[in-house]
Amino acid sequence: MPETIVLPPNASIIPHSLEKHGHIRTDNYYWLNNRENPEVVDYLNQENEYYQQSTAHTKDFQKELFEEMKARIKEDDESVPYFYNGYYYITRFEKGKDYPIHSRKKGNLQAKEEILFDCNEMAQGHAYFNLSGLSISEDNIWASFGVDTVSRRQYTIQIKNLITGEILPVKLENTTGGATWASDNKTLFYSRKDEVTLRADKIYKHKVGTTAEDDTLVYFEKDDTFDVSVYKSKSKKYIIINFSSTLTTEYQTVLSETPDAKFKVFQKRTRGLEYSMSHYGDHFYIVTNKDKATNFKLMKTPEAQTSKENWVDVIAHREDVLLEDIDIFKDYLVVSERADGLNKIRIIPWGGEGEYYLPFESETYMAYTTTNLDFDTPILRYGYQSLATPTSVIDFDMQTKQKTILKEQEVLSRDFDSKFDKNNYQEERIWSTATDGAKVPISMVYRKGMKKEGANPTLLYGYGSYGVTMDCHFSSVRLSLLDRGFIFAIAHIRGGEDLGRPWYENGKLLKKKNTFTDFIDCSKFLISEKYTSPSHLYAEGGSAGGLLMGAIVNISPELYHGVIAQVPFVDVVTTMLDETIPLTTGEYDEWGNPNVKKYYDYMLSYSPYDNVTAQNYPNMYIATGLHDSQVQYWEPVKWVAKLRVLKTDNNQLYLDTNMDAGHGGASGRYEAIKEIAKEYSFLLDLEGIKR
């Protein structure tokens, strides 16, 4: 606990009335919704100063944690090279440098390295830097790339001549960063964002040698619930525009060799019809929920007849298996599935004989196909990791069934630390019973020798929105908790797609509260099974997982000793009523449209900011970014201001605002670790662990 008493700041109370459906809400902190207001910036700085002063006694420990976590990372590291169109592409890091270097080698790995982009040089002078969307033309001469130096995910695309090294003067502003080259090697398609909402709503076409003003608008998406993107099929035959909302998709195609031709609708949008498609031979293969295929199925259709009445089943719908994705090769179809919450990779020869699954034995792993750009190869590249097993990149020969581990993430240690050994850790999957009887899996990892006596500090992580699955990934920084006696656990709650599409459907819209009660029931189960106790249980979530944190501390604050909420989405009703805020209208299918009274009433009943009350709350560390485009900074700021006035305890409440960053936090390899060190020092300090 802090050694000296430091008084927290108090935000000015300026009542602001918000009326909807004849109901009036009073928001005392609405004035904080303006990052240009000097008083707002002053308040954020006061909160930051309060956090810094209150945790001054942990500063040395934070530095120690940072050095410890940094020491596990191989500083001079590089990715496994992948081969594409005559070149091996590599991303590598150099010792002591924060940013990646992108390079390539022609023909073989012994060839001379050609540096494409050194992000360390490009990042100089910027508090934040991110390079994204690297795209190479088919003649290997041109590279398009996007740069964001503000952290609002508004990228400027530029083009580099890889032969001369010249970066062309043209700058394509306010884009998603992604772009794709047509087969003529001079036409570049890209998506541009709305200036206010940041919705990707336009597809443009740029010709090398022209100005940005000369670019042609290919498509403007008027429906503000849809985003647009553009890419090239793996076969390189088609340029494809994707139109997507939460529940509906549409695609349009044009031959890559005729980029100035008119795009053709693949299957026009039909509300509730979701599909994705891949080109192979003279057919398209379609992953879709057509015909009430809740967990999706695989269909195909001839190239010339793409509307849905021509689609025929290839893999039928299954009630107990979620079909997540496919990878198409010349001789094989690779299907990514999920059954009983676990990843499955299925190999199907196009010849129709001898299909099989890759064998995985753990219950706390994740396996996934990775960069498979080469079409004519029997080699499937996939990744594997678990809560205790570092990430491996594996090449699997689908013909001989031989696997080659190309790389396993190296976990280093300092000279005076014990070396990492995955055999020192125990992984476990257990099942909690939810209030309504649903069985909810919990994945966990801890040091061997853990005793179930209720005294283990435990960090329970959750998300539970958008159908995002919380897979069991390895984290070397997490070892700093495990080696100090923590259990780390993931609650695979409804709202995610962990147990199939119905798992998602039962945790959204008017069933959203299942997400919160599932997490609370998982917490109670860990306590009842004596893994931990309320004085040692901690919860963590970010973004929509921050909404989860805000809900659980309102409903069951007594279960948790501490909570970490990163960029939390906590002012649900106000945000979803403001159509100028990025992402809002496209999210109606996730949360509901509060302009409709039944959704307004339901959202209001759980919105964390609206339901703060006079009661005891756990110790809380809340982090945000001033330039966040996903969850606006003012949501957590207003939440903290309201908590300061209403909470009836003397527990810690910290607001830590990164004044330079956005939704993803700090850029740079090591700056991000410093943020984790803050979170871990908060937890360890509450546990009385000083070293």
Side-chain angles (χ1 to χ4, degrees):
M1 301 295 288
E3 294 171 0
T4 57
I5 296 175
V6 183
L7 294 177
N10 282 310
S12 300
I13 293 176
I14 306 175
H16 179 85
S17 293
L18 297 163
E19 190 273 335
K20 193 71 180 177
H21 304 298
H23 176 256
I24 296 176
R25 290 179 299 139
T26 300
D27 187 346
N28 289 333
Y29 305 103
Y30 191 84
W31 68 273
L32 288 165
N33 298 31
N34 182 3
R35 65 171 59 82
E36 306 301 325
N37 182 345
E39 292 181 27
V40 172
V41 174
D42 182 56
Y43 173 67
L44 295 179
N45 286 329
Q46 287 180 47
E47 283 284 2
N48 280 349
E49 181 62 23
Y50 170 70
Y51 165 65
Q52 294 296 336
Q53 289 184 16
S54 300
T55 58
H57 64 291
T58 70
K59 286 294 180 287
D60 289 343
F61 192 23
Q62 283 183 36
K63 291 176 184 175
E64 169 69 15
L65 285 168
F66 169 74
E67 293 299 334
E68 177 181 298
M69 292 186 284
K70 181 182 175 185
R72 296 194 192 103
I73 298 172
K74 192 170 187 287
E75 293 196 61
D76 52 344
D77 200 8
E78 69 177 44
S79 65
V80 175
Y82 66 86
F83 189 73
Y84 177 67
N85 199 26
Y87 284 82
Y88 282 95
Y89 287 86
I90 303 159
T91 301
R92 62 181 176 82
F93 288 89
E94 291 184 350
K95 189 170 183 177
K97 295 184 178 179
D98 247 336
Y99 294 93
I101 297 169
H102 300 278
S103 67
R104 68 179 184 178
K105 296 181 178 181
K106 188 173 183 179
N108 62 74
L109 291 172
Q110 285 68 50
K112 182 182 177 183
E113 180 184 50
E114 178 186 338
I115 292 182
L116 306 178
F117 301 98
D118 185 340
C119 293
N120 299 285
E121 293 180 0
M122 299 171 74
Q124 288 181 12
H126 298 290
Y128 178 92
F129 179 86
N130 186 30
L131 183 144
S132 178
L134 180 58
S135 178
I136 311 291
S137 61
E138 290 182 24
D139 62 6
N140 291 307
I141 292 175
W142 303 104
S144 69
F145 62 99
V147 168
D148 175 14
T149 57
V150 179
S151 188
R152 275 185 70 76
R153 303 186 184 185
Q154 291 174 284
Y155 290 86
T156 298
I157 291 176
Q158 292 183 265
I159 298 169
K160 182 175 182 178
N161 185 317
L162 299 179
I163 305 302
T164 66
E166 176 194 10
I167 293 179
L168 303 186
V170 64
K171 293 185 176 183
L172 312 177
E173 305 283 0
N174 193 33
T175 77
T176 61
T180 191
W181 292 94
S183 296
D184 65 354
N185 299 304
K186 65 180 182 181
T187 304
L188 184 72
F189 291 90
Y190 65 96
S191 52
R192 191 175 285 176
K193 295 186 169 189
D194 181 276
E195 290 279 2
V196 176
T197 67
L198 303 188
R199 178 175 68 94
D201 61 355
K202 305 175 192 73
I203 300 295
Y204 274 88
K205 180 170 59 180
H206 175 80
K207 301 283 187 181
V208 173
T210 66
T211 67
E213 289 73 24
D214 297 325
D215 288 1
T216 303
L217 176 64
V218 176
Y219 195 94
F220 168 60
E221 178 52 65
K222 297 177 182 177
D223 188 334
D224 60 10
T225 66
F226 278 80
D227 291 329
V228 296
S229 59
V230 62
Y231 65 99
K232 188 187 295 181
S233 64
K234 185 175 177 178
S235 65
K236 301 182 184 178
K237 187 173 181 178
Y238 292 96
I239 300 292
I240 301 169
I241 299 177
N242 169 228
F243 307 83
S244 64
S245 71
T246 307
L247 297 175
T248 308
T249 46
E250 179 182 291
Y251 289 86
Q252 294 186 13
T253 65
V254 73
L255 291 171
S256 185
E257 61 186 20
T258 57
D260 294 328
K262 184 177 175 61
F263 276 80
K264 175 187 174 185
V265 175
F266 186 89
Q267 159 59 42
K268 70 178 181 180
R269 66 189 68 175
T270 304
R271 180 163 175 79
L273 177 65
E274 298 175 64
Y275 70 95
S276 61
M277 47 77 153
S278 303
H279 173 247
Y280 171 67
D282 54 4
H283 282 80
F284 285 99
Y285 285 76
I286 305 144
V287 176
T288 180
N289 66 347
K290 183 177 179 288
D291 306 321
K292 299 181 179 179
T294 309
N295 272 331
F296 291 79
K297 61 180 178 176
L298 182 64
M299 307 183 80
K300 72 174 183 178
T301 194
E303 268 187 299
Q305 298 171 296
T306 60
S307 56
K308 65 182 179 181
E309 60 268 18
N310 301 295
W311 300 0
V312 296
D313 281 8
V314 177
I315 298 176
H317 175 253
R318 292 156 292 173
E319 296 288 343
D320 58 345
V321 178
L322 175 67
L323 199 165
E324 293 190 316
D325 202 4
I326 61 170
D327 288 274
I328 286 183
F329 296 83
K330 181 182 177 184
D331 297 321
Y332 297 91
L333 171 66
V334 178
V335 183
S336 296
E337 302 175 346
R338 185 178 297 274
D340 197 27
L342 301 175
N343 301 121
K344 311 285 185 183
I345 298 178
R346 182 180 179 187
I347 313 294
I348 306 174
W350 286 116
E353 298 262 332
E355 70 170 73
Y356 58 94
Y357 285 88
L358 296 185
F360 303 117
E361 297 174 0
S362 169
E363 281 194 323
T364 53
Y365 71 92
M366 60 184 295
Y368 44 93
T369 63
T370 60
T371 309
N372 289 284
L373 300 177
D374 198 351
F375 179 69
D376 187 6
T377 178
I379 304 299
L380 168 71
R381 180 164 293 180
Y382 73 93
Y384 177 89
Q385 57 185 300
S386 77
L387 291 175
T389 305
T391 307
S392 294
V393 178
I394 299 162
D395 271 0
F396 180 78
D397 190 315
M398 295 180 280
Q399 187 173 341
T400 66
K401 300 183 181 178
Q402 297 295 309
K403 75 175 184 179
T404 304
I405 298 176
L406 302 175
K407 180 181 180 180
E408 181 173 286
Q409 176 188 348
E410 217 175 326
V411 181
L412 306 178
S413 60
R414 296 174 293 185
D415 293 339
F416 52 86
D417 288 332
S418 59
K419 300 219 178 296
F420 170 76
D421 182 351
K422 61 187 175 186
N423 295 311
N424 290 332
Y425 304 90
Q426 181 71 42
E427 299 174 87
E428 190 177 354
R429 186 165 73 149
I430 57 178
W431 295 78
S432 165
T433 302
T435 306
D436 62 359
K439 299 293 185 182
V440 184
I442 305 171
S443 301
M444 60 172 64
V445 61
Y446 46 83
R447 289 280 300 197
K448 284 183 176 175
M450 182 272 293
K451 295 179 181 178
K452 291 167 68 172
E453 297 175 344
N456 301 298
T458 299
L459 178 59
L460 182 63
Y461 184 86
Y463 187 74
S465 291
Y466 302 108
V468 173
T469 299
M470 286 293 105
D471 281 315
C472 297
H473 74 279
F474 178 80
S475 166
S476 67
V477 297
R478 189 189 298 141
L479 298 174
S480 290
L481 288 183
L482 301 184
D483 291 346
R484 290 176 172 86
F486 265 75
I487 296 172
F488 175 79
I490 302 169
H492 301 282
I493 51 184
R494 281 175 284 188
E497 218 165 53
D498 306 59
L499 294 182
R501 184 59 176 242
W503 202 245
Y504 168 42
E505 300 290 346
N506 284 311
K508 62 187 285 197
L509 296 173
L510 298 175
K511 297 179 180 178
K512 186 65 213 168
K513 290 181 184 178
N514 284 338
T515 302
F516 316 139
T517 55
D518 280 1
F519 191 90
I520 289 167
D521 289 333
C522 287
S523 302
K524 290 178 178 176
F525 185 70
L526 291 175
I527 293 167
S528 68
E529 293 297 304
K530 297 196 180 304
Y531 286 95
T532 189
S533 59
S535 58
H536 296 289
L537 178 58
Y538 304 90
E540 178 184 12
S543 194
L547 162 65
L548 170 66
M549 296 299 105
I552 65 167
V553 297
N554 282 336
I555 300 166
S556 297
E558 74 284 352
L559 293 178
Y560 309 97
H561 189 43
V563 168
I564 295 172
Q566 303 142 327
V567 292
F569 172 44
V570 287
D571 191 10
V572 181
V573 179
T574 307
T575 290
M576 294 306 297
L577 283 169
D578 187 348
E579 296 182 3
T580 67
I581 294 176
L583 303 181
T584 293
T585 54
E587 309 248 316
Y588 288 162
D589 289 331
E590 178 72 25
W591 311 105
N593 181 352
N595 293 295
V596 178
K597 189 174 187 303
K598 68 175 180 178
Y599 291 113
Y600 174 87
D601 290 342
Y602 188 76
M603 294 159 75
L604 189 61
S605 72
Y606 70 74
S607 172
Y609 179 61
D610 292 290
N611 287 280
V612 173
T613 188
Q615 65 177 6
N616 288 350
Y617 281 87
N619 297 284
M620 297 170 71
Y621 171 83
I622 298 159
T624 188
L626 182 62
H627 301 289
D628 196 330
S629 61
Q630 310 295 104
V631 177
Q632 302 299 319
Y633 76 90
W634 57 72
E635 295 200 35
V637 173
K638 294 197 306 178
W639 184 38
V640 168
K642 192 171 184 179
L643 281 165
R644 289 224 183 279
V645 172
L646 289 177
K647 75 189 191 83
T648 54
D649 57 82
N650 292 316
N651 288 333
Q652 300 170 27
L653 174 61
Y654 300 137
L655 174 66
D656 184 15
T657 303
N658 187 323
M659 305 299 279
D660 296 316
H663 198 66
S667 68
R669 200 180 187 194
Y670 303 120
E671 288 303 312
I673 298 176
K674 288 179 182 176
E675 295 188 350
I676 297 172
K678 289 180 182 179
E679 296 174 7
Y680 284 10
S681 69
F682 169 74
L683 298 174
L684 293 165
D685 188 47
L686 289 171
E687 279 295 310
I689 299 172
K690 305 297 185 186
R691 57 184 298 276

